[in-house]
Structures are given as structure tokens and as C-alpha cells.
Amino acid sequence: MSGGRVGHFLLAKVMSTSLSKVAKCEVNRLKLDKYVMKYYGRRRTVLARDEERLAKEGDVVLLKEMPEKVSKRVSHKVDRVIYSLGNVTDPITGLKCDKDGYWESRPGEWDENMMAKAAERTEEQNEAQEGTAV
């Protein structure tokens, strides 16, 4: 391992957690083809140490390169979970939700505060669009 790369971070998606305290992660990168001058997607599989078992399958995690390898194939550790699979937040109201509705209320029910916030945000977006169109 080169000395200059120690401590670098990677953003990865967890593919499997079946190994003991190790998460199998997929890192997506872009590689430049100098002949065509176009970037192509490249995938790399990385095994990362997960002592606290923070990661689940499907989570997006931040991996940190360790100063020395734990084993022949494990060279990174899970620093933290960035996005947890199934933990979706509605961007308008800021509440946790799923396909049926918000977790705090029954599906299909809106309280007046959520409606007011949604209306305010829609008005702000419309004003911003009108301001850029002029």
C-alpha cells in the first residue's frame, strides 16, 4: 500500500454483511478513456471491517482506509452510515415516510401544519422560478 493513500475515504454501497464483522461493499468510480475523452463507470468490490455492525445491506456508507490491512483482503473500515436503506425523509415536510404515508400519522392523513409548510415551500419555489425567468 502506498504511504500517500492512508486515510482516504470512499463512498460505497453495502452488498452483503454475511461475513463476521466484515461488510462487502461496492464502490462506483468514473474512469477517463483518454482516446475517446469520455468517462465510464467502473465498479470495485471492497471488504471493510465493521466492528460495531453499523451497516445493513443496501446502506450507503463512508469507508476509511486503514493504516495497515487487517487481513489479505480487508483494507478499509466502515466509518459511518451516510444513508440507511428504508429510512426515507420527505423533503417537503421533513418527516419520515414510506410508500403508504408518514410514520407519525396514518396513511393519507395530513395535519394542518404539514399542509401549511408544503404550501409555503411551493410558493417559495414558484417565486424563485419567476425570479430566474425574468
Side-chain angles (χ1 to χ4, degrees), residues 9-122:
F9 289 95
L10 297 172
L11 195 64
K13 182 178 179 182
V14 178
M15 303 307 290
S16 172
T17 56
S18 60
L19 300 170
S20 176
K21 295 184 182 180
V22 175
K24 182 178 179 182
C25 303
E26 182 179 83
V27 178
N28 291 316
R29 288 280 179 107
L30 294 175
K31 182 172 172 103
L32 176 65
D33 183 345
K34 292 184 180 182
Y35 182 74
V36 184
M37 292 304 291
K38 182 178 177 182
Y39 286 96
Y40 290 98
R42 295 284 182 246
R43 282 189 233 153
R44 186 174 121 200
T45 303
V46 176
L47 293 179
R49 190 82 172 156
D50 189 12
E51 291 285 336
E52 295 87 25
R53 295 188 179 261
L54 299 171
K56 307 183 303 259
E57 285 186 35
D59 288 353
V60 176
V61 295
L62 189 65
L63 303 179
K64 184 176 182 181
E65 191 172 5
M66 294 188 292
E68 52 187 52
K69 290 185 174 185
V70 175
S71 70
K72 185 177 179 181
R73 296 184 62 204
V74 179
S75 59
H76 291 77
K77 71 175 183 175
V78 175
D79 190 49
R80 62 184 152 143
V81 176
I82 304 295
Y83 296 111
S84 183
L85 182 68
N87 194 8
V88 180
T89 304
D90 180 23
I92 296 173
T93 61
L95 299 173
K96 301 289 182 187
C97 62
D98 58 10
K99 67 180 178 90
D100 295 326
Y102 296 97
W103 292 358
E104 287 82 20
S105 62
R106 289 184 294 169
E109 282 187 10
W110 281 68
D111 69 351
E112 292 163 14
N113 282 338
M114 284 192 280
M115 288 295 285
K117 286 181 184 177
E120 287 175 17
R121 178 138 326 155
T122 304

